Amino acid sequence: MSATFIYCRVSTDEQARVSGLGLEVQESECRAFAASQGLSVSAVFTDGGVSRSTYLTERPAMSALLSSIKRGSTVVVHKHCRLGDSVAIAMMMKEAKRKGARLLVVHGDNSGSDEALLLAGVLSIISDHELRSIASRTRKALAQKKERGEVYTRRVYGFRAVKNQLIADQAEQDVIARIQVDAASGLSWAAIARSLNLAHVAAPSGTDWHPRSVQRIAERASAA
C-alpha cells in the first residue's frame, strides 16, 4: 500500500497565539480527512516555529518529507498556506507532481490543475494581506476611541475594558484573524464554526460557535 504522509507547520508567532491554528488541530483534521479518503497515515512531519517564507529544504521536517515521497505517495496538509508562501506552495505542488505523488488539502482545491495552483498562490497572498489589514484596522479603531475619551462598558469580542480604555485582547484578536482568513479562503460560516469548536476555541457566548456568531464577528472586524 502506498504511503500517506501528513505535513503540519506553524510559525513562531502562531505558536505563541491561542488561535486554533496549532499543530494539534492541523494534525487532527488532517487525520480525519485522510480517514474519509480511505487513507492510512504512515507518518506525520511537523515543522514548529518555522516561517512560511523559509525555503522548503531548510525546514527539518519538510526536508525529511521530501526525501520520503515516492511514486504513489499521498501528502495531506491542512491548507495550502501551511506549505508556506506562494513560492513554497508552487514548488511543493510541482515536486509532488514530478515524483508522481498526490498533494491533498483538507480545505482547498484538490484537482491538481494549473488553476488550483494559481488559486492557492492567490489565497496565500490574500491571507498575508488580511492579517496585516486586521492589525492596522484594530490600531486605528483603538486610537480613535481613545481620542474621543470614550468609556467602555459593553463587552466587545476582541477587546477588554481597562480603566475606561479599550484594550485589544490578543487571544481573541487572533481568533478574529483566523475567521477572516478562513472566510477569504472560501470556507463557509458553518465550516469555520465547526473548525473553531473542534479546536476548543472559546466562543463569545461561552458555549459553542454558530455560523451566525462567526459571521457577525467577521463583519464587525471588516467594518472597524
Side-chain angles (χ1 to χ4, degrees):
M1 181 180 293
S2 299
T4 297
F5 306 115
I6 289 175
Y7 177 72
C8 304
R9 180 194 63 81
V10 291
S11 68
T12 303
D13 289 342
E14 287 169 339
Q15 282 187 307
R17 298 171 177 172
V18 183
S19 62
L21 290 170
L23 297 172
E24 290 184 4
V25 173
Q26 289 181 46
E27 181 178 342
S28 176
E29 293 194 16
C30 284
R31 283 187 178 278
F33 176 81
S36 73
Q37 302 297 308
L39 301 171
S40 179
V41 177
S42 305
V44 178
F45 295 86
T46 301
D47 277 318
V50 175
S51 169
R52 62 191 288 131
S53 61
T54 303
Y55 197 71
L56 296 183
T57 55
E58 293 178 356
R59 308 176 194 176
M62 175 57 81
S63 295
L65 171 61
L66 291 174
S67 298
S68 301
I69 295 175
K70 309 294 181 183
R71 180 167 297 278
S73 297
T74 300
V75 177
V76 179
V77 295
H78 191 248
K79 293 181 182 179
H80 280 112
C81 63
R82 294 301 100 196
L83 296 172
D85 57 20
S86 56
V87 175
I89 293 170
M91 289 185 64
M92 185 61 187
M93 293 180 77
K94 290 178 179 178
E95 183 66 7
K97 186 176 182 179
R98 184 182 71 82
K99 290 190 173 184
R102 288 192 304 168
L103 176 63
L104 300 179
V105 289
V106 178
H107 302 292
D109 187 341
N110 288 311
S111 67
S113 64
D114 290 339
E115 289 76 11
L117 173 60
L118 176 61
L119 178 61
V122 170
L123 289 176
S124 176
I125 294 171
I126 291 175
S127 174
D128 284 342
H129 173 72
E130 187 60 32
L131 289 174
R132 289 194 298 269
S133 295
I134 290 171
S136 176
R137 290 197 298 269
T138 298
R139 286 193 297 269
K140 289 179 181 178
L142 289 172
Q144 291 172 355
K145 290 178 183 295
K146 185 175 181 180
E147 287 178 2
R148 292 196 294 266
E150 294 183 12
V151 177
Y152 312 106
T153 56
R154 185 172 65 86
R155 174 75 168 96
V156 178
Y157 190 80
F159 302 90
R160 52 191 173 87
V162 178
K163 296 181 180 179
N164 294 337
Q165 291 188 17
L166 195 63
I167 305 299
D169 184 302
Q170 190 57 57
E172 292 184 356
Q173 286 294 324
D174 291 339
V175 175
I176 294 173
R178 172 184 178 172
I179 291 172
Q180 294 286 80
V181 170
D182 282 351
S185 298
L187 292 185
S188 67
W189 302 125
I192 297 173
R194 284 196 300 272
S195 180
L196 290 170
N197 288 329
L198 284 172
H200 303 294
V201 176
S205 63
T207 55
D208 289 339
W209 287 90
H210 299 282
R212 181 55 185 153
S213 60
V214 171
Q215 182 180 5
R216 281 199 300 268
I217 286 174
E219 291 175 347
R220 185 183 300 127
S222 297

